[in-house]
Amino acid sequence: MKHALYGEIEKHLAADAVVATSASGLTLSEMQGGWRDPSRFVLGHPFNPPHLIPLVEVMGNEQTADGVVEAAERFYAAVGKVTIRVNREVPGHVANRLQAAVWREAIHLVKTGVASVEDVDKAMWAGPGLRWAAMGPTMLFHLGAGEGGLAAFCERYTDSFNRWWDDLGVLHLDPALAETLVSGVKQEANGQSPADLSAQRDALIASIQKAMAPLRAN
């Protein structure tokens, strides 16, 4: 369907137009097959809810013309977005892979009886989620070691992290596991509709963004 759409619009594009796709499940090279000339077609993948979350993942490849990725990055910056450059093609790009890794372990904790769906979610938003809204995990660990920085952190906690990583779950989502999660999130929602919860989510994100804006500007 995307290839057919690209075939329809390509002939109507201005010579200097940049086309960006938000596809998270398809790779740039897979989608380039729908273009006669894919040189001005790039990945421009936002994060949900895109009207509130600033992140956009931008990527070109060997078929992308010089300067096109940079032009896309300038456009996103002009409308208040924060871009990252994806240097190598992988399924899910960067941010989706990060959240997939976290969710896999969240599910594993539920599946193995360590904690409920609600408590695993609570552990995230009341714990590391707050720190990650300020800085990324590697920078936070750099700060966590004091004057020694990340080098001291790695020296101090290598054995601990290797132990935790060795114990992380490897699992696949199946109907039975999905039903466990659905049941747990229903209990966590406590009768609130998805629309109500979405409104709460948006209000919280907007408040966080408003509070962070002056600091990010510096």
Side-chain angles (χ1 to χ4, degrees):
M1 291 176 64
K2 286 182 180 289
H3 286 182
L5 175 63
Y6 298 151
E8 287 295 314
I9 69 173
E10 185 172 10
K11 57 191 173 186
H12 300 291
L13 294 173
D16 61 348
V18 176
V19 178
T21 176
S22 64
S24 57
L26 298 172
T27 63
L28 180 64
S29 61
E30 288 171 335
M31 291 181 288
Q32 283 174 326
W35 296 86
R36 293 189 302 275
D37 177 11
S39 63
R40 303 193 67 80
F41 174 64
V42 298
L43 174 74
H45 181 247
F47 215 62
N48 281 320
H51 62 292
L52 294 174
I53 302 295
L55 176 66
V56 181
E57 299 169 313
V58 182
M59 178 186 170
N61 60 18
E62 65 280 354
Q63 297 192 69
T64 308
D66 291 343
V68 172
V69 168
E70 291 79 5
E73 290 172 332
R74 288 194 298 271
F75 166 79
Y76 287 121
V79 296
K81 294 296 187 179
V82 175
T83 63
I84 67 165
R85 184 79 65 90
V86 181
N87 295 318
R88 184 175 68 84
E89 189 168 87
V90 290
H93 321 312
V94 177
N96 272 333
R97 291 176 71 96
L98 290 171
Q99 71 172 0
V102 171
W103 197 42
R104 182 173 70 178
E105 183 55 23
I107 294 172
H108 177 248
L109 291 169
V110 172
K111 182 180 180 181
T112 56
V114 175
S116 67
V117 170
E118 182 174 4
D119 280 351
V120 170
D121 277 355
K122 190 182 298 183
M124 179 57 66
W125 65 255
L130 284 175
R131 296 196 308 188
W132 291 342
M135 296 180 182
T138 306
M139 179 59 74
L140 287 167
F141 287 150
H142 173 64
L143 300 179
E147 292 186 3
L150 187 61
F153 185 92
C154 290
E155 182 178 355
R156 189 179 306 161
Y157 295 112
T158 288
D159 290 343
S160 294
F161 272 89
N162 284 336
R163 181 184 181 189
W164 298 340
W165 285 330
D166 289 343
D167 195 52
L168 292 179
V170 177
L171 74 167
H172 285 85
L173 193 59
D174 56 35
L177 188 50
E179 179 56 36
T180 299
L181 299 174
V182 169
S183 177
V185 83
K186 183 178 180 180
Q187 183 176 354
E188 182 179 356
N190 195 28
Q192 298 176 90
S193 70
D196 290 338
L197 291 167
S198 293
Q200 291 179 35
R201 175 204 64 192
D202 289 359
L204 285 165
I205 292 173
S207 295
I208 293 170
Q209 295 283 64
K210 183 178 180 180
M212 292 171 59
L215 298 173
R216 292 296 189 198
N218 295 329

